[in-house]
Amino acid sequence: MSSSSDFQQDRHSFSGSPQKWTDFELPGDTLYYRFTSDMSNTEWGYKFTVTAGHLGRFQTGFEILKQMLSEERVIPHLPLAKIWEWQVGVACRQTGHQRLKAIHLLLKIVQCSTQGDCDLTLLKPLWQLFTHMENNSCHETAKPGILLPLHRALAELFFVTENRVTELGSLQEYLLALNTEDHLHRCTAQ
C-alpha cells in the first residue's frame, strides 16, 4: 500500500499471518494498493479497512489556522515564522485536496506577513514542482489554456509571493534562492 501510484512514497508492505499487519496512516486523500499471491496455499486472502479523514487532524487544523489568519488582531500574536516553516512542510508532503488547502494557507500567510516573518526560500521544493508543471503544460496541446487546480494554486502563490518580495525589496535574493545554478545558466543563455 502506498500514497503514490508507483508505490514509492509512504510504502507499507505486509505478508504472512494477520498478526504481522499493523495500523498505519497515509498522507493525502488517495490510497494505492496491490495484492500479489504466491499461490502457496488456497486461503481467501487478506481483508483491510480504510478509514478516511480522522476528525481532529488535518481538516481541524486547517480550519483553525485559516480562521486565525483571517483575524487581523490575532496575526501579530502568531509565531508566523514557525507556522510558515511547518505549513511549507505540510504542502510538500500532502497530496490532492489537502495540498491545495496547505497552499491556500501559505498564500494567506504571505499576504499578512511582514519582512522577516517567513523564510521564503523554503518554497524551493514547491517552486521545483511548479516549474516542472509549467514545462509539462507547454508540451501538452490536448487542452491548451486549462491548468490543473494544483498548477493554478501554485501559480497564484508564486505570483503573490513575487509581488510581496518586490515590495520588500528582496526580489533578487528570493529568485536566486529558489533556482538552481543550472536553471540560471539556461535562462541566461536564452
Side-chain angles (χ1 to χ4, degrees):
M1 297 178 207
S2 175
S3 63
S4 64
S5 59
D6 62 358
F7 293 90
Q8 297 301 309
Q9 296 176 2
D10 306 300
R11 183 178 174 161
H12 298 270
S13 295
F14 301 97
S15 179
S17 67
Q19 291 76 24
K20 293 183 180 180
W21 286 58
T22 59
D23 289 349
F24 63 93
E25 293 183 18
L26 289 178
D29 57 5
T30 305
L31 163 74
Y32 296 91
Y33 67 94
R34 179 173 35 214
F35 178 79
T36 307
S37 174
D38 64 359
M39 307 293 269
S40 63
N41 57 38
T42 58
E43 294 176 7
W44 178 83
Y46 291 100
K47 176 181 177 182
F48 60 91
T49 304
V50 177
T51 306
H54 294 292
L55 187 62
R57 295 198 178 150
F58 183 89
Q59 186 62 31
T60 303
F62 168 77
E63 292 298 334
I64 291 170
L65 190 52
K66 182 176 80 170
Q67 186 62 39
M68 291 173 69
L69 292 170
S70 298
E71 298 287 333
E72 286 185 33
R73 68 186 198 295
V74 174
I75 292 171
H77 305 287
L78 295 175
L80 284 181
K82 279 286 186 200
I83 294 171
W84 174 261
E85 184 179 338
W86 173 77
Q87 197 62 34
V88 170
V90 169
C92 291
R93 285 188 308 275
Q94 293 296 338
T95 59
H97 292 293
Q98 290 181 340
R99 178 178 271 171
L100 289 173
K101 289 178 177 184
I103 291 170
H104 172 78
L105 291 177
L106 289 174
L107 188 57
K108 287 181 92 55
I109 294 169
V110 165
Q111 291 169 327
C112 68
S113 68
T114 60
Q115 191 165 6
D117 280 346
C118 306
D119 180 1
L120 298 175
T121 63
L122 294 175
L123 290 173
K124 189 169 187 168
L126 293 174
W127 175 254
Q128 291 169 342
L129 174 62
F130 176 67
T131 55
H132 177 73
M133 294 176 96
E134 283 284 296
N135 292 337
N136 287 345
S137 70
C138 293
H139 301 302
E140 295 173 6
T141 57
K143 296 179 181 177
I146 298 176
L147 299 179
L148 296 171
L150 175 59
H151 194 167
R152 286 194 313 266
L154 288 171
E156 183 177 6
L157 174 65
F158 287 110
F159 177 75
V160 169
T161 303
E162 187 175 316
N163 286 336
R164 189 76 179 120
V165 295
T166 301
E167 290 171 7
L168 299 172
S170 56
L171 179 62
Q172 185 174 352
E173 295 85 5
Y174 166 73
L175 293 176
L176 287 172
L178 290 186
N179 289 290
T180 63
E181 191 173 321
D182 182 50
H183 181 259
L184 294 173
H185 286 295
R186 277 183 287 155
C187 290
T188 304
Q190 289 177 347

